[in-house]
Amino acid sequence: MRPDNNHRSRTDARRHHDPEVRGFASDNYAGAHPEVLAALALANGGHQVSYGDDDYTEHLQRVMRSHFGPLAQAYPVFNGTGANVVALQAMTDRWGAVICAESAHINVDEGGAPERVGGLKLLTVPTPDGKLTPELIDRQAYGWDDEHRAMPQVVSITQNTELGTVYTPGEIRAICEHAHGLGMKVHLDGARIANAAASLDVPMRTFTNTVGVDVLSYGGTKNGMLFGEAVIVLDPDSVRAMRHLRKLSMQLASKMRFISVQLEALLAKDLWLRNARHSNAMAQRLAEGVRAVDGVEILHPVQANAVFARLPQEVSRRLQKRYRFYFWNETAGDVRWMCSFDTTDDDVDGFVMALKEEMAR
């Protein structure tokens, strides 16, 4: 007997958290946007072909091309590290290396996966604001004929950066022209690409395929999705064997429709932009409130949904008992506060008030 898919929804699961608890630790802490959850329910029921041959993944290609041009090909994956590893593997030879900022997520926060799983070498460059330039790239862009050195083949940038700063389209164009002139390709880690587009108030294509980016890791989890990201190949000649590498890297979802329909929910209209504009606005509100607190220093321009600040360690530790957030550099007293698509005015105002109280103690 076939189960009735129209019966009233029920579950034996129980809520194990207080949904009223808020924090500023990460935009990954937020739940899924209601429109994304509705899309998942829409895609449920019945049978669809597995491993990406479903109607939702096919339609996603059209959605992605509306944002990134007629050559764009999307490969949904489970997570951001997977997207970066698969993309960089497809862009490099076994002897290849990737130039990136020292602060890049692929270098600092992916457990060595690009090197250990991807089998490539990261050539890092210190940057004051998280942004590479042609001049900084040249610190590592050499030795192509030296058999003793990993060969630089890709420049990877993050938009927006791990320090919350945003590249202008002109800055990315200069990087792409410089890298391509040296025979290298350009990868963009777009974990928060929507926040960058909202900050610049331009379409995402303006600083990706239009200026020469070859491959993009598109991030959705930090902007309202339940799970899932995508590798978007903008230049088909820049990669090899993407489908095989995705499978080899354990990033091929069997029920891919549930990743693809979430991406469609974000990108078919403007949910991606609404969410990003809101989280950026909350970060601006937070920064304005923090600037009024004596003894707190904002470290970087607040251009997206992150605020980096410096304050006494003991104050941060007390404040962490009231709101979750992370130290960025504990020795220096540097912290990072992240806003999300569901951050509210009251969340920000309550946090600023708590900060003032702890600073006054």
Side-chain angles (χ1 to χ4, degrees), residues 135-350:
E135 294 74 23
L136 289 173
I137 290 168
D138 281 344
R139 295 187 183 183
Q140 292 284 11
Y142 65 89
W144 287 278
D145 294 325
D146 184 352
E147 64 193 80
H148 302 286
R149 189 171 195 266
M151 182 186 292
Q153 293 184 320
V154 175
V155 173
S156 181
I157 62 175
T158 310
Q159 175 76 319
N160 44 270
T161 74
E162 287 75 15
L163 300 182
T165 53
V166 174
Y167 287 95
T168 66
E171 289 171 332
I172 296 180
R173 182 187 294 277
I175 287 171
C176 291
E177 290 178 350
H178 189 68
H180 292 159
L182 295 171
M184 295 188 292
K185 304 162 189 171
V186 177
H187 165 260
L188 189 147
D189 180 348
R192 296 184 176 94
I193 187 173
N195 296 95
S199 177
L200 294 167
D201 195 25
V202 298
M204 291 181 286
R205 69 174 68 89
T206 305
F207 56 84
T208 54
N209 56 299
T210 299
V211 296
V213 172
D214 297 297
V215 179
L216 161 68
S217 296
Y218 185 88
T221 306
K222 293 178 171 63
N223 197 32
M225 283 175 53
L226 182 63
F227 64 92
E229 321 277 292
V231 177
I232 306 177
V233 177
L234 304 174
D235 176 11
D237 294 332
S238 66
V239 299
R240 294 173 299 174
M242 268 293 308
R243 294 173 69 246
H244 296 279
L245 286 168
R246 179 173 57 175
K247 175 66 173 181
L248 180 67
S249 300
M250 298 174 285
Q251 289 292 320
L252 179 64
S254 57
K255 298 183 180 181
M256 196 178 295
R257 59 170 151 161
F258 294 112
I259 300 178
S260 297
V261 76
Q262 293 181 77
L263 289 163
E264 179 185 348
L266 278 185
L267 291 163
K269 291 188 178 178
D270 67 345
L271 180 59
W272 67 277
L273 188 56
R274 283 187 278 130
N275 286 353
R277 282 176 172 166
H278 177 80
S279 56
N280 286 3
M282 291 299 97
Q284 289 296 332
R285 185 182 185 94
L286 176 59
E288 289 171 9
V290 166
R291 287 191 183 98
V293 182
D294 290 338
V296 181
E297 176 189 1
I298 293 180
L299 299 175
H300 304 292
V302 180
Q303 297 177 331
N305 62 324
V307 178
F308 291 80
R310 179 173 295 162
L311 60 156
Q313 290 183 18
E314 63 273 15
V315 173
S316 290
R317 292 193 184 97
R318 292 198 302 268
L319 191 58
Q320 282 178 324
K321 295 178 181 178
R322 302 171 67 173
Y323 290 88
R324 286 181 178 268
F325 62 89
Y326 291 119
F327 278 99
W328 191 254
N329 181 336
E330 190 166 0
T331 301
D334 299 351
V335 297
R336 185 192 74 169
W337 299 319
M338 295 297 304
C339 296
S340 308
F341 76 88
D342 64 348
T343 302
T344 68
D345 290 354
D346 288 344
D347 293 336
V348 172
D349 296 346

